[in-house]
Amino acid sequence: MAGGVSSGRDRGVSLGRDFGWLWASYAAGTLGTWVAFNALPLLAITVLHKGSAEVAALAAVGAAVGAAVALPLGPWVEFRRKRPVMIAMDLVRCAAMLSVTVAYALDRLAFAQLLVVSVVVAAADITFGAASGACLKALVPAEGRLVAQARLESTTWTATVLGPPLGGALVALLGPAATVLVDALSYLLSAAGIRAIKGREPRPARREGAGMRAGDLLEGWRHILAQPVLRPLFLNSVLVNGLIMATAPLLAVLMLGPLGFAPWQYGLAFAVPCVGGLVGSRLSRPLVVRYGRHRVLWTSGVLRACWPVGLVLVHSGVSGLVLVMAVELALITCSAVFTPVLAAHRLDLTETDRVARTLTAWSVTAKTSVAALTALWGLLAAAVGPRAAIGLAGVLLLATPLLLPRGEARGVTRVTDVDTCK
């Protein structure tokens, strides 16, 4: 056994029909989300005629306030059946998105409504993710979790490739609210998939004493920071994702502004490299089987930090477009190897009665960090220019591998699984 996973003999592990329904549910919701990619900002710009400040506020406020709203929901999810919570979050997201289409049809759409919807959807996303992680841990045996996470990662990148072009076609044919309606319907399909899971789900054991304790809000962070393996992976992931996302708007400004790329070229520069997500997610498990989990996490974590600094060299013309595509392809491929291995490892190192709080704490930190770093890098770009700000982010990313675990932590073993979703 290498890196905590068994050898090639477990390649035929069956994940079961119930995981199939969970996977189908995830695929429906994810595809709908990517079909409606940037739908709310698009409505704000094209229908409400809002400027860049309002559109930026829509993104930042939705993520930050949604994360704050989701924080107390982590402990609430922990001691409840996970599938009803997931269905409820799907229905909440469906209702929120449907309210936008109804308001648009009645010519009553307002910017305040878009802000509220973005907050509700962000909070429901985090809560759904925490519940689904706990459900997956119970549905899939430990030896099959990396396979499951790789399939989910592959689905994410497939939706990323297919969704935006489909959404663009829908907007062209039916108007900007069409993709919002598709997103709402995708959540209904997701809820139906979860409802189709047949395994019985017992009620999680409840602690002595009613109500939520103040310490429950911090339990996820306590668990992460106390784990000698999870702690550096957490800090590394938050910083890497935050720095990468913070430079995305700056690269758009640079490419669509001074460098003169057409919108379709900009879209192509980020659509084609998503193929690397499919490749990386399929490679993750064979690499772990051959080299061990720790080595794959460390190597892919180092490699994904090496590429973004190359974006500082972006220039106009075909060669500049190829440069961006090459950098993004390498970055996405390495990230797609890293992410499912990290997700499976995180579940293995987290007790069942802490999974929801741990995943909530992780997601809340990631979203708030992205929002904060995006705002900070926007101010930095205003002072020194977008190219210099992109370069600084790339240099800082080169230092992030120092936060990765240096070696296999002694005494760290997988926790014992206790079913909460079967």
Side-chain angles (χ1 to χ4, degrees), residues 28 57 79 84 108:
F79 303 104
R108 295 294 183 91

Side-chain angles (χ1 to χ4, degrees), residues 56 245-250 253 370-386 389-390:
M245 295 304 296
T247 60
L250 308 184
V253 169
V370 167
L373 287 173
T374 300
L376 179 60
W377 249 253
L379 295 174
L380 180 64
V384 302
I390 291 170

Side-chain angles (χ1 to χ4, degrees), residues 8 83 106 112 132 200 210 240 250 262 283 299 321 351 387 418:
R83 297 205 300 265
L106 297 176
S132 64
R200 178 179 173 273
V240 169
L250 308 184
L283 286 176
T299 303
L321 186 64
E351 294 88 345
R387 188 184 296 273
V418 180

Side-chain angles (χ1 to χ4, degrees), residues 22-37:
L22 182 65
W23 188 14
S25 166
Y26 178 83
T30 304
L31 182 59
T33 297
W34 280 101
V35 167
F37 179 65

Side-chain angles (χ1 to χ4, degrees), residues 380-417:
L380 180 64
V384 302
R387 188 184 296 273
I390 291 170
L392 177 59
V395 170
L396 292 176
L397 280 165
L398 292 176
T400 57
L402 296 175
L403 294 172
L404 291 168
R406 301 292 181 85
E408 296 279 11
R410 294 180 181 179
V412 176
T413 57
R414 287 175 171 169
V415 298
T416 303
D417 295 329

